[in-house]
Amino acid sequence: MCGVVGVWGYRAGAGSVDVADVDAMRDAMEARGPDGAGTWVADDGRLALAHRRLAIIGLGEQGHQPMVLDRPCLRDPDGPGPGRGQLAITYNGELYEHDALRARLVGNGHRFAGTSDTEVLLHLYEEEGIAMVRHLRGMFAFALWDGGARHLHLARDPFGIKPLYVADDGTTIRVASQAKALLVSPAVDRATDDGALAGLLVFGSVPEPRTAWSAIRAVPAGSTLTIRPGGSRSLERYFSLAGALAAAEHDAAGSTDAAVAAALGDSVRAHLVADVEVGVFLSAGIDSTAILGLAADGGRELHAVTLGFDEFASSPDDEAPLAHLAADRYGARHDVVRTSRQQFAAWLPAMLADMDQPSVDGLNTWLVARAAAGAGLKVALSGIGGDEFLGGYPSFTTVPRLVDTLGHLAALPYAGRAARAALWPLVRNRKPKAAGLVEFADTLAHGWLLRRAVFLPFELPGLLGRERAAAAAGALGVDEVLDAALEGGPRGGVATVAALEGACYLRNQLLRDADWAGMAHSLEIRVPLTDAELFGALAPSLAARWAPPAGKHALAASPTPPLPPQIANRPKTGFSVPMADWATSLSGYDTWRSVPMLAHPRCSWARRWAYVVAESFGMV
C-alpha cells in the first residue's frame, strides 16, 4: 500500500506551493511506502502531488508515482481524442480486476506503458471521468488532477478501506493518506476536536468525517469530492451501505448457500492478485480459516501467521493449536509469533505514535502485522468484515430482541429516564450501561448503541465534567451519527444492525485500525470479506432477515474441504488479548486512577483504555 499527498492553492492569491512542505508530509509516511518516493509539480507551481510507494502490483519504474500522462498520448493518435491537458494521479490502493479493465481499454485504442493498476485509472478516467469509481473493484483512495478542466478529484472506495484526509484553510487544500501527515505542515491547525473526543468515548473511535483535529476532515467513504478553481466543490456519494441494504429488501428470497459460497470464493481469488507473496492472518475463528481454505482451493502455496500470547499458552484462550490444525488442513506454511508482557510494554509507545486516529482497538492488528512483516510478507489477508456481513455478532439477535421486549416501555413518556434514574445507583459501578436498558430500547439504533458503546452519552459528565461533556456531546451529535449510518436504509432488524455495524464499527474502527497498524510495518492488509461484489451477494439475505448464524455456517462450508468441526462449531468468543489488561496497568499509562469512575475496581479495561488513548492525543 502507499501514501499520497496533494496540495493545491485553488484561489488566485494562493501563490506557489511549498515543495519542501509537500515532501515533509510525504516523508512522514515513509513506512507506508518504503519502495520509492516522488513529487510532481504542475507548470503553474500552484499544485503538487506526492507519493510514497509500497510496490505490490506493477513492480519497477513502470509503477512510479505520481503518474502523469499527456492526454493526446493516451489514445491512438489517429483516433478521436479528448481535449488537451495533463492527467496526474497519486493513488493508494489495489484494483483487483485491473487486467480486465486494461484489456477493454486497449480494445478502445488506449496504449499502455506498463502493467500497473495506476495507469489503468488514468486511462479509465479519460473514458468515463470520475464516474469511473462506480466500476472499480478494490480498495482505493486517490487524488487525480485533470489539467484540462483544472479540477482536482478526490475519491475513496465504497467501504472506506483506504483513508483520505483533507485540511482546507479557505485558500489551499492539503490532502494526505494519514491525518498525522497533514499535521507536519505548519499551515494546519493542531487544535483537537471536542466532537471527536465524544466520538471516541461513546463509539470507541472517531466517526467520519471528523478526525481528532478540528482542521482535518475525512473524505467520506464511497464518495468523490471535486474541487474547482476558486474553491467551488461537489461531493457525490456513489455507494451507501444502508442504501444498498434497502435496495436489497426487494429481493425477499435472499441468497442461496451455493450463491454465497461462489461469491466468497470469487472475492478471495480476486484478493490474491499481486506480484508478491500474499499471506493470511490466521486465528482460530471461522472468518480467517475460511479465507485460508478458499485461498488454498486454487492450489496456491500459502503463508499463515498466528499471533499468540505467553499468558495464554496451554489454555483455552490460546488460538495457536486450532490455527495449526487449520494450517495443516489447507497445506499452509505456518508461523506462530508469541508476545510477552515485557515486549508489549516496550512497543506500546510506538503503537500509540503509529495510531493515526484515536481508537480503543487496533493494538492486536499492530502486533500481528509486525509478525507478518517480520516473516517477510508485504501483503496479508484478514477476516475483517465477516461478522458484520455474515451475522457473526451477538448484536444481530440481542438488539432486535431488546427492542421487541422493552420497546413498548421506552415509548411511554419519561419512562426511559425514570428507569435510568432508578437503576443508576444500583448499577453504576457494576454494569453502568444497564441503567439505559429501557431508555435505549426505543429504536434499533439506540439498542445497538447500548450494546456497542464504550460510554453512553449520559455517563460523559462523570468523566469530563458537566460543561465539557455537554460541549463534546453537542459537537458530535450521537443521534446524527446513527441517522447518517441509516440514511435511506433498511427496515428489517438484521439489515439495520448490519448497516450500523458496517457504517460505524467496521468503517470507523476496524478498517481504519487495519490501515494504520498494517502501514506502520509496510504491510498491506486486504479484506476479502469486505468487498462490494461480495456484499451485493450477501445483502439480499441480510435484508430478508437472514438470522445468524446461518451466514457463518455458509462461510464455514465454502472451502473444499470445509472447515474442521472444532473451528466451524466453536462458539464466538471474540479475540482474547491479555494486553487489554496490560495496557492500563503499565506505569505511565495509569493516569485514569485519578478519575473516580475509572478507578473503581469493577471499571472495564476498555473504558480506562479509551481515556488513555484520549490523553495520548492531547484530548483530555
Side-chain angles (χ1 to χ4, degrees):
M1 204 46 62
C2 305
V4 307
V5 171
V7 179
W8 184 29
Y10 54 77
R11 291 201 186 277
S16 298
V17 299
D18 183 343
V19 178
D21 189 40
V22 173
D23 288 348
M25 290 187 285
R26 179 199 70 188
D27 293 339
M29 299 184 291
E30 183 176 2
R32 297 186 73 93
D35 297 333
T39 299
W40 173 82
V41 182
D43 289 342
D44 65 1
R46 289 174 52 193
L47 177 132
L49 302 179
H51 190 261
R52 293 288 328 190
R53 185 183 183 206
L54 181 65
I56 304 294
I57 294 176
L59 308 182
E61 286 301 310
Q62 58 163 310
H64 180 76
Q65 294 189 54
M67 188 173 287
V68 182
L69 292 176
D70 292 315
R71 297 182 88 172
C73 300
L74 291 174
R75 282 179 175 266
D76 184 329
D78 297 327
R84 293 181 178 276
Q86 288 181 313
L87 299 179
I89 192 171
T90 179
Y91 156 68
N92 170 28
E94 305 292 359
L95 300 184
Y96 301 126
E97 296 179 340
H98 65 96
D99 283 341
L101 289 170
R102 184 184 296 103
R104 174 164 69 83
L105 290 163
V106 168
N108 289 346
H110 292 257
R111 294 178 174 179
F112 286 82
T115 60
S116 76
D117 53 348
T118 310
E119 192 176 3
V120 169
L121 279 173
L122 287 172
H123 288 268
L124 191 62
Y125 176 81
E126 185 188 23
E127 290 271 310
E128 302 181 9
I130 197 59
M132 69 179 179
V133 294
R134 299 178 181 273
H135 309 301
L136 303 179
R137 183 180 192 179
M139 52 182 182
F140 57 85
F142 61 78
L144 188 154
W145 171 248
D146 183 333
R150 296 193 60 76
H151 291 172
L152 179 66
H153 298 289
L154 311 178
R156 283 181 74 198
D157 63 73
F159 292 103
I161 301 169
K162 292 292 103 184
L164 194 62
Y165 298 102
V166 299
D168 188 346
D169 62 10
T171 299
T172 299
I173 189 167
R174 293 170 175 81
V175 183
S177 294
Q178 291 184 193
K180 284 184 175 178
L182 291 170
L183 294 176
V184 170
S185 171
V188 177
D189 192 341
R190 301 178 67 91
T192 58
D193 186 323
D194 268 358
L197 172 62
L200 171 65
L201 297 175
V202 174
F203 291 97
S205 59
V206 179
E208 67 174 42
R210 289 185 182 276
T211 74
W213 301 277
S214 299
I216 301 174
R217 289 294 181 262
V219 176
S223 298
T224 61
L225 175 63
T226 299
I227 303 100
R228 303 173 185 87
S232 69
R233 63 201 61 201
S234 56
L235 178 69
E236 181 180 353
R237 186 79 169 269
Y238 68 89
F239 177 84
S240 163
L241 179 64
L245 286 166
E249 287 183 321
H250 299 294
D251 186 358
S255 306
T256 65
D257 283 358
V260 169
L264 287 164
D266 173 69
S267 183
V268 171
R269 284 190 296 274
H271 284 72
L272 291 171
V273 172
D275 294 330
V276 297
E277 182 182 18
V278 179
V280 178
F281 290 167
L282 182 62
S283 70
I286 291 175
D287 298 339
S288 65
T289 307
I291 288 172
L292 179 68
L294 289 167
D297 280 352
R300 186 166 183 150
E301 183 181 351
L302 297 164
H303 187 174
V305 178
T306 299
L307 183 64
F309 297 95
D310 288 350
E311 281 79 352
F312 288 166
S314 302
S315 79
D317 288 325
D318 191 357
E319 303 213 281
L322 283 178
H324 187 66
L325 174 68
D328 281 349
R329 188 177 186 88
Y330 297 115
R333 188 164 85 255
H334 189 212
D335 290 339
V336 177
V337 180
R338 294 196 174 274
T339 299
S340 68
R341 178 188 173 93
Q342 290 72 28
Q343 290 173 315
F344 180 85
W347 295 332
L348 186 54
M351 294 183 201
L352 287 169
D354 290 335
M355 186 180 287
D356 192 49
Q357 280 217 65
S359 171
V360 297
D361 207 345
L363 303 189
N364 54 335
T365 306
W366 190 96
L367 290 171
V368 73
R370 183 183 188 279
L377 292 169
K378 294 178 77 171
V379 180
L381 305 184
S382 166
I384 292 172
D387 286 320
E388 288 77 10
F389 302 142
L390 289 162
Y393 292 130
S395 57
F396 282 91
T397 52
T398 59
V399 171
R401 186 185 303 136
L402 172 70
V403 175
D404 288 345
T405 304
L406 297 178
H408 65 288
L409 289 178
L412 298 174
Y414 310 111
R417 292 193 177 186
R420 187 217 305 174
L423 289 171
W424 182 247
L426 304 175
V427 301
R428 62 183 301 174
N429 291 325
R430 294 185 175 186
K431 294 184 177 181
K433 289 201 294 183
L437 272 172
V438 174
E439 184 178 5
F440 284 79
D442 59 338
T443 65
L444 288 166
H446 284 160
W448 176 85
L449 185 69
L450 179 69
R451 180 169 186 88
R452 182 61 77 182
V454 181
F455 295 89
L456 289 172
F458 64 73
E459 297 182 88
L460 296 184
L463 185 65
L464 302 176
R466 189 170 301 277
E467 186 174 336
R468 179 86 188 277
L476 174 67
V478 170
D479 281 341
E480 285 82 352
V481 172
L482 297 173
D483 289 345
L486 295 175
E487 184 178 1
R491 296 181 298 274
V494 170
T496 297
V497 174
L500 290 163
E501 294 286 6
C504 296
Y505 183 54
L506 175 69
R507 178 186 300 158
N508 293 328
Q509 192 162 320
L510 297 183
L511 293 175
R512 188 186 297 160
D513 289 343
D515 179 79
W516 68 257
M519 288 292 92
H521 303 288
S522 306
L523 181 81
E524 175 179 297
I525 299 177
R526 297 183 178 180
V527 285
L529 301 184
T530 305
D531 173 80
E533 291 197 21
L534 173 61
F535 180 74
L538 298 176
S541 292
L542 288 166
R545 301 181 67 87
W546 188 20
K552 285 303 187 81
H553 287 164
L555 178 59
S558 58
T560 304
L563 267 59
Q566 299 96 313
I567 295 175
N569 300 326
R570 184 175 182 237
K572 182 171 181 58
T573 59
F575 186 46
S576 297
V577 284
M579 62 190 181
D581 296 319
W582 296 345
T584 54
S585 62
L586 295 173
S587 177
Y589 298 93
D590 56 359
T591 53
W592 51 266
R593 296 182 187 279
S594 64
V595 182
M597 70 182 297
L598 300 179
H600 192 277
R602 291 183 180 270
C603 182
S604 72
W605 74 268
R607 292 173 165 232
R608 292 169 176 172
W609 180 238
Y611 186 85
V612 171
V613 171
E615 191 174 48
S616 75
F617 276 79
M619 302 171 80
V620 293

